[in-house]
């Protein structure tokens, strides 16, 4: 019976080693990322709608940034101080260059392009919104594929452990192999490691 108990302890240790610590924190972080992305897209869809209804780019941006306070807070503060939009966009805080620019950076770049295009701001921001939605869909697809691969790896790791434990619990010949042959215990230890 001590062999059975040791096998169950080894299986329990292996299964807890498979579980990933900090998983709840990562899920919360992903949820926050998606919420922030929705807010940035919603803010700039609001800007596009205001521009198309006749508002100036400056007024539309100020209104959208006051409704969505978490989007581009540095720009909102600069505009509240009375800076023109073109000047406020040049005062973007420095940060590391990232290949996957955040939604906020993406839209700040879109706003600076609006100043260059003279009057086609709605079209530029519309394309930025469409690109942001597409990038977000790609990220979600990559996460789904990675989650599927991770689940498959965990399942393929846990399945042999489950069958081993089941064999020890239900078969006297398996228990006898563990009890009588040290090679079986060695193979189990190598497999678990």
């Amino acid at each position: 019976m001590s062999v059975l108990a040791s096998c169950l302890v080894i299986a329990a240790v292996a299964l807890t080693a498979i579980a990933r610590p900090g998983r709840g924190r990562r899920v919360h972080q992903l949820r926050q990322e998606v919420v922030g992305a929705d807010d940035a897209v919603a803010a700039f869809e609001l800007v596009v709608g205001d521009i198309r209804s006749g508002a100036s780019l400056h007024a539309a941006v100020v209104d959208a940034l006051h409704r969505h306070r978490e989007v581009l807070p540095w720009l909102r503060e600069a505009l509240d101080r009375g800076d023109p939009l073109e000047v406020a966009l040049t005062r973007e805080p420095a940060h590391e260059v990232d290949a996957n620019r955040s939604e906020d950076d993406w839209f700040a770049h879109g706003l600076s392009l609006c100043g260059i295009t003279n009057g086609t701001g709605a079209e530029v921001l519309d394309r930025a919104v469409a690109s942001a939605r597409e990038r977000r869909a790609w990220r979600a697809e990559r996460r789904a594929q990675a989650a599927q691969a991770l689940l498959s790896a965990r399942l393929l790791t846990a399945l042999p452990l489950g069958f081993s434990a089941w064999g020890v619990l239900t078969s006297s010949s398996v228990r006898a192999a563990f009890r009588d042959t040290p090679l079986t215990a060695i193979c189990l230890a190598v497999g678990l490691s």
Side-chain angles (χ1 to χ4, degrees):
M1 197 49 115
S2 65
V3 172
L4 175 63
S6 63
C7 288
L8 290 176
V9 167
I10 290 172
V13 168
L15 285 175
T16 56
I18 292 172
R20 210 169 92 192
R23 180 187 159 118
R25 184 179 52 221
R26 178 68 180 144
V27 168
H28 178 70
Q29 181 183 12
L30 289 175
R31 228 179 258 138
Q32 291 294 83
E33 196 174 301
V34 169
V35 168
D38 284 337
D39 291 336
V41 169
F44 284 91
E45 284 178 336
L46 184 63
V47 171
V48 170
D50 286 351
I51 291 172
R52 288 208 169 118
S53 67
S56 70
L57 178 62
H58 186 275
V61 170
V62 168
D63 181 48
L65 293 181
H66 279 283
R67 288 189 189 185
H68 299 275
R69 298 193 71 78
E70 64 283 343
V71 178
L72 298 173
W74 57 270
L75 181 60
R76 186 186 69 251
E77 291 168 6
L79 293 174
D80 286 346
R81 282 191 308 263
D83 294 346
L85 183 60
E86 295 78 20
V87 173
L89 285 168
T90 62
R91 295 188 180 157
E92 180 178 359
H95 54 79
E96 291 183 20
V97 176
D98 185 10
N100 286 327
R101 293 180 70 172
S102 72
E103 306 285 342
D104 287 357
D105 292 342
W106 186 259
F107 288 116
H109 181 67
L111 285 173
S112 56
L113 287 177
C114 288
I116 297 169
T117 59
N118 293 330
T120 57
E123 189 176 320
V124 170
L125 291 178
D126 229 359
R127 290 181 184 181
V129 167
S131 296
R133 287 187 185 282
E134 188 174 346
R135 290 175 63 202
R136 201 170 58 205
W138 288 343
R139 277 196 305 268
E141 180 66 25
R142 286 193 306 266
R143 283 190 190 118
Q145 290 173 353
Q148 290 170 352
L150 185 61
L151 178 64
S152 295
R154 288 183 179 173
L155 183 64
L156 290 175
T157 302
L159 217 59
L161 295 173
F163 278 118
S164 298
W166 181 55
V168 168
L169 290 173
T170 60
S171 174
S172 60
S173 61
V174 172
R175 287 191 297 269
F178 275 106
R179 184 179 55 242
D180 299 337
T181 312
L183 182 61
T184 308
I186 293 170
C187 288
L188 178 66
V190 168
L192 286 176
S193 66

